[in-house]
Amino acid sequence: MSVSTQKNMPLRVGERGAATGSFHIEDVYPCVDGGRFPVKRLAGDVVEVWADIFRSGHDIIAAQLIWRRETDRDWQKSSMTLHDNDRWFGSFTPPDPGRYVYAIEAWTDEFATWKHGFELKQRAGQDVSLDALEGAALLTRAQYGGEQATTIIVRQCEDYLKSGDPACLLVPELAGAMTESRERGDLTRSQLYPLTIDRNLAVAGAWYEMVPRSQSTVPGKHGTFRDCIARLPDIAAMGFDVLYFTPIHPIGKTNRKGRNNALTAARDDPGSPYAIGGCEGGHDAIHPELGTFDDFRDLVSACKAQGIEIALDIAVQCSPDHPWLTQHPDWFKRRPDGTMRYAENPPKKYEDIVNPDFSCDDAGSLWNALRDVILFWVNQGVRIFRVDNPHTKPFNFWEWLIREVQTKDPGVIFLAEAFTRPKVMKGLAKLGFTQSYTYFTWRTRKWEIESYLNELTGYPERDYYRPNFFVNTPDILPYHLQSGEAWMFRSRVALAATLSSNYGIYNGFELLEHEPIPGREEYLNSEKYEIKVRDWNAPGNIKPYIAALNHARRENPALLQTRNLRFLPVDSDQIVAFVKQTTDAGNTVVGVIALSRDASEFWLPLDSIRVRVTEDLSPPVALENIMTGERHAIEWGGVRLRIDPLRDPTLLFRCLA
C-alpha cells in the first residue's frame, strides 16, 4: 500500500514532501488488510517492521519507526536501516499488553546527501571549497538533537571555522549527530498501523474443559465449586494452564431438555447449562447448586495457587425464564402469533433457548448489558472467556465489546468458538478475538494436517489468527475416536499439543470415553443434559501421557509457539514429521507422530535444520528423546528410526549441537 503523509503532523514537520509526492512508503509488513485490523504479538516480543521506502531523485533518505500506546500522546522512536533495493528494516519492543499503533517516517537526509556528493567530487580531484562551505552551513541549521549530538555538531563546526579543513565535516560521529538533529522539512509519515500486544497465556496454553456440576464423587449428586477445588491437584498434575467451565449460571425450566436432548425433561433432569437464566438470575448469577460467589472466588484463588486460570463460557442466549425477557421484552423477537421465537439452526431446534435481537430498537442497551456481563466476571477474577457461536452475532458488536473490555484490562483473552466457514472464522480473529477454534478436530490424514498447518502458519494468517486445537468438545466426538483405541487418543492429543501452542481437551478424553450416538459425532448420554460421576483414575487412562506432553511443552519453548513450524519429508503417508524452533534457534524440537497403528521404520531427514551454537548456526549432531533421554547420532544428514504406535505413537526430540 502506498502512502504519502498524515495531516496530524507534529509541529515543524513540513508539508512540502507530501504535497509534491516525494516519498513513497509501500508494502509495509506486518500489516493486516492494509492496516484495517491489528497485527498480534506477545508482550516483550521484538516487532520487526519492513517497508519499501523511496523518493524521486538521488538524494539520500532516512527513516524511522514511531510507536506508542493507542491512548498515549508521545511517540517512541527507533531508526530504520536500508536492507537492499529500497527495502528498509526496523524494530521495536512493546513491553506490556495493550493496544498500540506504529508508523513509518521518512525524510531527506540533507547532510548525508551533501557528504556523499562532497566525497565523490573530492576523490575526482575537483574544487570543493564552496561545497565545504555549504556543508558547514548545514551544521548551523541543525536542531532537535539531544545534548550529545549538539555537542558534536558545535565542536566540529568550530573546528572547521578555525582550520578551514573540510575533514572536520567528514568525521563519522558528525554524520550520526546530523541525522538526529537536522530539520526535516519534507518529512512524510505513513498511515498508522494497529498492533495488539497480549500476555503469554494468549499465545501458549493447555486447556482443560469440564462441566462443574459433574465433579461430585457421589452418584446423582450435583457438583459444587468445592468439588471443583478438590479436582485441581489432578488437573494441575496433568500440566494444564486453563480450566475452562461450561456455563455456571442458573438454568431455565421452560422447555427444559431431558437426557440425550429429549424434548421432555424428567423431574430430576438438570437441563442444559446453555439454557441460561431462571428465577435466580441470568448471566451475572451462579447456579445455586454450584455454590456462592464466595465459593467461586475461593475457586479462582485455589486455581491461582496451582498456576491455573479459570475460563468461563459466554453464550449470548437465554432461557425463556431469563430475567431479561421480563425486564427487556423488546430485546427479543416474537412470531406473528405472539409466541417467543426460540433458537434454531435448521434442521436443529433449541426450544429451551431464545436469542437476543441485535437489530431491536434498544440494541445499544443490549450491547451495554452484554459488555457489563463480561466486566462483572472480570471483577470476580476471570480474565479468559470462550465465546459460544460468535459468528451468529454481529461482527461490529464483537469488535466493540472486545475493545471496551480490553481497554479496562488489556490482559483479557477471548476464544472464538466458531466452527463455520473459514473466512468467517478468520474475520472474527481479525476483529479482535485472541484465539480461535479450528478444523484440526477433523483433520486426520497427513496431507490434510500439513496443508492446514501451512495455511495457519503462513502469511497473513500467522499475524492475526491464533489457533487453539481442541481434540474433542462436549458437542463433538470425532469418528476417529469412536473406536476407543488408546494409541489414537495419544496420537491426537500429541498432534494438538505439539503442532499448536494452544490446545485443549474436554474432560473424559483422558479416560478414553468414546460411546457415540450411532452414526453421529456426538456423545451418547452427553453430560450437557445429565450429571455424570467418573472415576478419574479408572484403569486405562492416559493421564500420565498427557502430563508428559505438557511437561515437554513447558521445558521446550519451541513448542509454545505456532508461527515457526516446518514439516519434514518422511516417505510415509502414515507419519507426520516436523521441526519447531524458537526465534533465536536456541531451542529446536523435532516431532514424529504416527497416524496409523502400524509399526514402521523410516528415514528422518535433518539436513535442512540449523541450531544455535553461541553466535553461529550449525547442523545438529544428535537428537535427544525428550521423554526417555535416549540419544541418536545424526549421520549423513539424518537418522533412521522406528515407531510403534501401539506402544507410543509419538517421538519428540531436542536437537543437540
Side-chain angles (χ1 to χ4, degrees):
M1 181 177 183
S2 179
V3 285
S4 55
T5 190
Q6 298 278 356
K7 293 299 183 183
N8 57 339
M9 289 294 185
L11 187 65
R12 294 190 61 82
V13 173
E15 295 289 337
R16 178 168 56 87
T20 60
S22 298
F23 287 91
H24 293 266
I25 303 174
E26 301 179 346
D27 197 18
V28 176
Y29 170 83
C31 173
V32 177
D33 286 6
R36 165 64 179 87
F37 299 106
V39 169
K40 295 175 184 174
R41 292 291 187 271
L42 182 66
D45 276 353
V46 176
V47 179
E48 297 183 347
V49 178
W50 294 79
D52 292 341
I53 307 173
F54 55 93
R55 56 153 293 167
S56 57
H58 301 290
D59 289 353
I60 295 174
I61 68 174
Q64 67 180 5
L65 280 171
I66 59 172
W67 59 281
R68 59 172 169 79
R69 280 186 176 270
E70 197 175 59
T71 54
D72 290 349
R73 293 182 58 86
D74 296 332
W75 292 98
Q76 300 192 57
K77 302 176 181 180
S78 60
S79 62
M80 299 185 75
T81 57
L82 178 63
H83 181 63
D84 62 26
N85 192 26
D86 294 315
R87 191 70 172 161
W88 289 70
F89 167 79
S91 64
F92 62 98
T93 306
D96 302 307
R99 292 174 181 267
Y100 292 76
V101 290
Y102 63 93
I104 296 167
E105 290 183 339
W107 64 95
T108 301
D109 190 333
E110 291 183 310
F111 186 78
T113 301
W114 168 84
K115 183 172 180 290
H116 177 69
F118 182 91
E119 290 174 334
L120 289 176
K121 292 179 181 180
Q122 192 178 52
R123 284 197 294 269
Q126 298 179 6
D127 181 5
V128 292
S129 55
L130 289 178
D131 298 270
L133 290 173
E134 290 173 345
L138 291 175
L139 268 60
T140 65
R141 299 203 302 269
Q143 55 191 299
Y144 300 137
E147 182 178 348
Q148 183 177 1
T150 300
T151 300
I152 294 171
I153 293 168
V154 170
R155 183 190 67 213
Q156 297 307 120
C157 185
E158 290 177 347
D159 288 350
Y160 172 74
L161 293 175
K162 291 177 181 178
S163 66
D165 185 357
C168 301
L169 307 177
L170 303 177
V171 295
E173 60 266 29
L174 179 59
M178 288 296 291
T179 297
E180 178 182 339
S181 305
R182 279 295 304 144
E183 180 179 4
R184 301 166 185 178
D186 61 353
L187 186 146
T188 298
R189 179 182 297 175
S190 74
Q191 70 178 71
L192 303 184
Y193 294 94
L195 174 69
T196 297
I197 299 297
D198 292 303
R199 61 192 179 102
N200 289 351
L201 207 53
V203 175
W207 291 50
Y208 185 84
E209 178 179 4
M210 76 182 191
V211 181
R213 72 186 184 191
S214 290
Q215 306 311 310
S216 171
T217 59
V218 180
K221 184 179 179 181
H222 197 290
T224 68
F225 291 140
R226 296 294 169 188
D227 293 319
C228 296
I229 291 174
R231 281 220 58 214
L232 290 180
D234 185 38
I235 296 167
M238 285 188 283
F240 287 99
D241 308 295
V242 178
L243 177 58
Y244 155 42
F245 283 167
T246 53
I248 61 173
H249 315 297
I251 298 171
K253 295 182 179 179
T254 300
N255 298 332
R256 175 175 286 190
K257 294 295 185 75
R259 298 191 177 197
N260 287 310
N261 202 22
L263 286 177
T264 303
R267 183 176 180 179
D268 59 346
D269 284 342
S272 167
Y274 290 90
I276 296 171
C279 61
E280 306 90 348
H283 285 76
D284 56 358
I286 290 173
H287 193 291
E289 291 187 79
L290 286 173
T292 66
F293 275 99
D294 285 340
D295 295 331
F296 181 78
R297 285 186 283 268
D298 288 345
L299 171 62
V300 172
S301 297
C303 285
K304 185 176 181 180
Q306 296 280 1
I308 296 173
E309 280 199 41
I310 287 283
L312 289 188
D313 208 327
I314 296 298
V316 183
Q317 59 200 36
C318 303
S319 154
D321 303 323
H322 196 293
W324 283 351
L325 276 84
T326 301
Q327 299 166 358
H328 304 281
D330 52 333
W331 287 0
F332 301 88
K333 287 184 177 180
R334 295 187 179 272
R335 310 196 74 178
D337 63 357
T339 59
M340 189 66 63
R341 182 182 293 277
Y342 56 75
E344 292 183 280
N345 183 16
K348 293 182 178 180
K349 298 180 179 181
Y350 305 95
E351 294 88 348
D352 56 341
I353 293 171
V354 295
N355 285 321
D357 179 10
F358 281 82
S359 62
C360 69
D361 292 338
D362 194 24
S365 296
L366 172 62
W367 285 31
N368 288 335
L370 291 168
R371 174 204 58 197
D372 293 345
V373 164
I374 302 292
L375 293 176
F376 173 84
W377 290 106
V378 170
N379 289 335
Q380 307 306 313
V382 179
R383 302 179 77 207
I384 307 177
F385 298 92
R386 178 267 201 187
V387 178
D388 190 65
N389 289 323
H391 58 291
T392 63
K393 312 301 184 292
F395 276 25
N396 58 340
F397 164 72
W398 293 120
E399 187 170 17
W400 171 84
L401 181 141
I402 292 170
R403 173 179 285 276
E404 286 279 299
V405 173
Q406 291 183 342
T407 297
K408 301 284 186 182
D409 184 347
V412 174
I413 293 168
F414 290 90
L415 168 62
E417 186 268 349
F419 294 115
T420 183
R421 303 185 306 281
K423 290 182 181 178
V424 175
M425 296 166 71
K426 292 176 182 179
L428 288 165
K430 288 178 183 178
L431 61 81
F433 277 94
T434 319
Q435 300 176 13
S436 305
Y437 275 56
T438 71
Y439 288 122
F440 165 78
T441 315
W442 298 278
R443 298 295 187 259
T444 58
R445 290 178 287 182
K446 179 176 180 175
W447 71 267
E448 291 177 318
I449 293 169
E450 293 188 354
S451 63
Y452 191 48
L453 266 297
N454 286 335
E455 174 188 338
L456 296 179
T457 59
Y459 295 100
E461 285 81 1
R462 63 183 289 164
D463 285 325
Y464 68 85
Y465 197 92
R466 292 203 189 104
N468 195 322
F469 283 5
F470 268 77
V471 293
N472 66 328
T473 77
D475 297 304
I476 304 168
L477 172 59
Y479 288 124
H480 52 265
L481 296 181
Q482 293 182 12
S483 66
E485 296 178 272
W487 78 267
M488 175 59 81
F489 277 72
R490 293 190 182 103
S491 173
R492 293 303 295 181
V493 72
L495 286 166
T498 58
L499 292 177
S500 176
S501 58
N502 288 302
Y503 89 100
I505 71 169
Y506 157 59
N507 68 185
F509 180 91
E510 70 270 41
L511 304 180
L512 311 186
E513 290 183 354
H514 62 277
E515 187 175 9
I517 297 174
R520 297 167 63 177
E521 287 189 303
E522 296 182 50
Y523 285 92
L524 184 66
N525 302 320
S526 168
E527 65 180 319
K528 288 194 300 179
Y529 308 104
E530 62 181 84
I531 294 172
K532 284 184 176 291
V533 173
R534 298 175 172 91
D535 175 3
W536 297 107
N537 295 307
N541 74 77
I542 60 169
K543 289 163 55 177
Y545 191 80
I546 294 171
L549 285 172
N550 284 332
H551 180 73
R553 283 165 52 91
R554 292 182 175 181
E555 293 297 310
N556 292 276
L559 294 175
L560 297 180
Q561 54 84 36
T562 310
R563 293 163 55 88
N564 195 354
L565 164 72
R566 182 163 51 87
F567 289 99
L568 300 174
V570 173
D571 189 19
S572 171
D573 288 338
Q574 303 306 317
I575 295 174
V576 170
F578 61 89
V579 58
K580 297 182 83 172
Q581 281 188 309
T582 53
T583 302
D584 64 358
N587 180 236
T588 301
V589 172
V590 170
V592 180
I593 302 176
L595 305 180
S596 78
R597 60 184 297 151
D598 300 323
S600 62
E601 291 188 359
F602 59 95
W603 175 257
L604 182 65
L606 303 167
D607 52 317
S608 64
I609 297 175
R610 296 293 182 271
V611 297
R612 177 70 60 187
V613 181
T614 61
E615 297 299 319
D616 300 318
L617 294 176
S618 302
V621 299
L623 296 180
E624 180 183 59
N625 191 303
I626 293 173
M627 304 298 191
T628 66
E630 180 183 8
R631 292 193 177 187
H632 302 267
I634 297 174
E635 299 178 331
W636 304 104
V639 62
R640 180 160 293 279
L641 298 169
R642 174 180 170 80
I643 192 166
D644 182 358
L646 296 181
R647 182 178 178 183
D648 190 342
T650 305
L651 299 173
L652 282 180
F653 301 103
R654 188 180 296 109
C655 290
L656 304 178

